[in-house]
């Protein structure tokens, strides 16, 4: 859901985006049109094929909007210039915790959201869409247990 302060006028609510003006319901996208701009709340699943499909939909939809678009949400990707510096891992010594070198090491079973391929795809998409990350230090802090991070 998206919450707005009482009194803010919402011109339009869209539940999903589309390709070529063909509506495609996508429960992971909620867009609000406010005066002069759009805000898109986005949840990206972990699977790469879903990422590509939703990015393609959102790019096509944004290209047809005359107003600026703000995109926020859970991208399930490291949005940073590089993986090594794109995330901090806080190790606490708890059982089944992701090791502190998880993001800077190669793991055969590393989940897609932690790969250079996904990071690079997001960087390219953001550049093509004219979007930038407002977090100037590029630090995205998360806590992952190793059972999640190492799932295939």
């Amino acid at each position: 859901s998206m919450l707005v302060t009482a009194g803010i006028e919402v011109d339009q609510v869209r539940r999903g985006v589309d390709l070529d003006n063909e509506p495609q319901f996508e429960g992971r996208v909620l867009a609000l049109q406010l005066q002069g701009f759009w805000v898109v709340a986005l949840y990206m699943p972990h699977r790469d094929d879903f990422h590509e499909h939703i990015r393609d939909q959102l790019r096509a939809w944004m290209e047809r909007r005359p107003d600026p678009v703000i995109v926020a949400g859970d991208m399930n990707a490291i949005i940073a210039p590089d993986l090594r510096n794109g995330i901090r891992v806080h190790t606490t010594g708890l059982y089944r915790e992701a090791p502190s070198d998880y993001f800077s090491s190669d793991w055969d079973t590393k989940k897609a959201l932690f790969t250079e391929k996904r990071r690079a795809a997001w960087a390219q998409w953001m550049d093509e869409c004219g979007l930038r990350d407002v977090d100037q230090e590029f630090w995205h802090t998360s806590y992952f247990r190793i059972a999640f991070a190492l799932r295939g």
Side-chain angles (χ1 to χ4, degrees):
S1 66
M2 233 190 283
L3 309 173
V4 297
T5 304
I8 293 179
E9 186 174 333
V10 176
D11 296 336
Q12 189 178 137
V13 176
R14 298 276 315 240
R15 289 174 179 82
V17 291
D18 55 77
L19 286 166
D20 304 321
N21 277 327
E22 293 294 324
Q24 298 184 22
F25 177 75
E26 179 51 68
R28 297 171 177 96
V29 180
L30 178 63
L32 299 182
Q33 183 181 27
L34 305 172
Q35 288 192 350
F37 66 98
W38 285 85
V39 177
V40 176
L42 181 65
Y43 170 76
M44 295 297 282
H46 297 284
R47 289 180 40 187
D48 275 331
D49 56 338
F50 287 173
H51 266 254
E52 293 171 24
H53 178 70
I54 295 171
R55 280 193 313 256
D56 288 346
Q57 286 184 42
L58 188 53
R59 179 189 307 112
W61 181 83
M62 288 190 315
E63 287 172 352
R64 292 192 307 276
R65 303 281 81 74
D67 296 326
V69 178
I70 297 170
V71 179
D74 183 350
M75 308 309 177
N76 273 317
I78 295 174
I79 311 277
D82 62 80
L83 286 178
R84 180 178 298 262
N85 296 311
I87 196 162
R88 292 181 180 155
V89 177
H90 302 283
T91 54
T92 62
L94 296 175
Y95 175 69
R96 296 176 57 85
E97 175 181 70
S100 61
D101 67 345
Y102 181 79
F103 297 98
S104 59
S105 299
D106 289 328
W107 296 71
D108 290 338
T109 56
K110 189 181 283 189
K111 289 196 70 61
L113 68 120
F114 305 121
T115 65
E116 173 59 21
K117 177 183 173 187
R118 174 150 318 161
R119 188 215 59 79
W122 271 96
Q124 179 179 346
W125 181 83
M126 288 168 54
D127 186 54
E128 291 169 357
C129 293
L131 297 171
R132 66 179 177 85
D133 189 347
V134 297
D135 181 358
Q136 296 301 310
E137 294 191 28
F138 300 106
W139 289 107
H140 300 273
T141 303
S142 294
Y143 174 81
F144 299 102
R145 287 194 166 286
I146 201 164
F148 168 81
L150 298 181
R151 259 188 344 208

